[in-house]
Amino acid sequence: MKMEPTIDRISLDVLDTDDLYQPALSSARVRSIVNDFRPDLFQVITANQRSGSNRWYVVDGQHRVQAARTLRHPSVKSFLFYGLTVKQEAEMFLALNTNRRKDIDSVSKYHAKITAEDPETLEIEKVLSPYGLAVRKAKNGNLRHISSPSSLYFALRNDGPGTLSDALGILMRAYPNDYKRWGQPLIICVAGLLLHYPDLDKTRLVQQLQNIVPRALIAQIKDRARTLGSERWTLREARPNESRELA
């Protein structure tokens, strides 16, 4: 039987974090808490004891926990939950952090949403998987990383998973070994092109993209967006002959 949440002090020795949904610790943030530490202002953390476990998992407050460890405090005050699943922990983490002034970064939030089984995020994962793409903060070596999940959500919602998939395929053909050359504006732009002009010659589009410096193209996209008063440059507002310059 699941127990009601309580508030009590909990030993730091029994606290763990789960990196399935928790972002990486920021040493700068921990130092800030340590340097400005005041017992009367130290906020309560949130922790959960999973069913069948004698360990507690920090749902919210991992930086406060690390600061307390640095300061050699034996325990911290916590909202204590009992029997939540990992999915429920991730959902609570997102709910507690989404509307804060200092929000978690978009990549960390994306991975928390995977653990929380957010339908849109799982749909994006299905689109990325066949290409070997992943949402990550850094682009190291030959790893196929996308660091702007907001562009994926935008294209999924406005253009659909099939069009998003086609857009990613075109960008991979145009820039197969340099993922720094394409990002949020290009993903959104190419998806918009494909949605509104489904008969575009994709091979020629790839060739045209290869002949354009991405930074220059992104500047054109942003300038076009300002001119149209739109958040993105799409061919919804452009005349057909303008779209064919890229196609």
Side-chain angles (χ1 to χ4, degrees), residues 133-145:
L133 292 168
V135 172
R136 295 286 186 273
K137 291 182 182 179
K139 303 180 180 73
N140 299 320
N142 294 320
L143 295 177
R144 299 175 174 184
H145 289 171

Side-chain angles (χ1 to χ4, degrees), residues 56-93:
W56 292 81
Y57 288 85
V58 179
V59 177
D60 182 62
Q62 63 166 335
H63 290 90
R64 280 165 274 160
V65 169
Q66 187 58 40
R69 287 182 172 133
T70 302
L71 292 166
R72 300 182 182 278
H73 288 283
S75 63
V76 291
K77 186 174 286 188
S78 175
F79 288 111
L80 300 176
F81 287 80
Y82 304 86
L84 299 180
T85 64
V86 179
K87 175 178 179 291
Q88 290 171 322
E89 288 179 13
E91 290 172 339
M92 183 178 291
F93 169 80

Side-chain angles (χ1 to χ4, degrees), residues 1 20 44 47 70 111 113 130 143 148 166-167 185 187 197 221 239:
M1 182 176 177
L20 280 175
V44 177
T70 302
H111 287 282
K113 285 184 175 182
L143 295 177
S148 57
D166 289 344
I187 292 172
Y197 296 90
I221 293 168
R239 294 189 298 275

Side-chain angles (χ1 to χ4, degrees), residues 9-218:
R9 299 198 70 84
I10 185 169
S11 170
L12 297 179
D13 292 337
V14 299
L15 285 172
D16 292 322
T17 57
D18 193 330
D19 59 10
L20 280 175
Y21 63 87
Q22 289 282 355
L25 272 173
S26 166
S27 57
R29 189 171 175 186
V30 172
R31 283 196 303 272
S32 176
I33 297 172
V34 170
N35 293 337
D36 299 330
F37 179 77
R38 283 181 53 183
D40 55 325
L41 297 179
F42 196 79
Q43 296 180 3
V44 177
I45 71 163
T46 302
N48 173 58
Q49 186 180 52
R50 296 173 184 172
S51 297
S53 174
N54 60 358
R55 305 291 297 176
W56 292 81
Y57 288 85
V58 179
V59 177
D60 182 62
Q62 63 166 335
H63 290 90
R64 280 165 274 160
V65 169
Q66 187 58 40
R69 287 182 172 133
T70 302
L71 292 166
R72 300 182 182 278
H73 288 283
S75 63
V76 291
K77 186 174 286 188
S78 175
F79 288 111
L80 300 176
F81 287 80
Y82 304 86
L84 299 180
T85 64
V86 179
K87 175 178 179 291
Q88 290 171 322
E89 288 179 13
E91 290 172 339
M92 183 178 291
F93 169 80
L94 287 167
L96 290 169
N97 285 277
T98 294
N99 295 319
R100 287 185 175 172
R101 184 175 299 173
K102 292 185 178 179
D103 201 1
I104 56 175
D105 65 87
S106 61
V107 173
S108 296
K109 187 183 293 185
Y110 179 91
H111 287 282
K113 285 184 175 182
I114 292 175
T115 304
E117 298 180 12
D118 173 67
E120 279 190 325
T121 308
L122 295 180
E123 188 68 38
I124 290 172
E125 284 290 288
K126 290 179 183 177
V127 172
L128 298 180
S129 180
Y131 296 113
L133 292 168
V135 172
R136 295 286 186 273
K137 291 182 182 179
K139 303 180 180 73
N140 299 320
N142 294 320
L143 295 177
R144 299 175 174 184
H145 289 171
I146 295 176
S147 57
S148 57
S150 59
S151 63
L152 301 174
Y153 286 112
F154 189 100
L156 180 75
R157 292 165 185 166
N158 289 273
D159 308 320
T163 301
L164 172 59
S165 178
D166 289 344
L168 294 175
I170 285 172
L171 288 168
M172 291 187 68
R173 288 167 60 192
Y175 313 117
N177 299 310
D178 190 356
Y179 300 98
K180 292 182 180 180
R181 297 189 73 188
W182 56 281
Q184 179 172 338
L186 285 182
I187 292 172
I188 292 173
C189 178
V190 173
L193 274 168
L194 296 177
L195 178 68
H196 298 292
Y197 296 90
D199 296 328
L200 287 177
D201 185 331
K202 294 180 182 178
T203 298
R204 189 178 176 195
L205 177 56
V206 169
Q207 293 170 347
Q208 291 297 316
L209 286 169
Q210 290 171 335
N211 293 330
I212 298 174
V213 177
R215 286 185 181 178
L217 179 58
I218 290 169

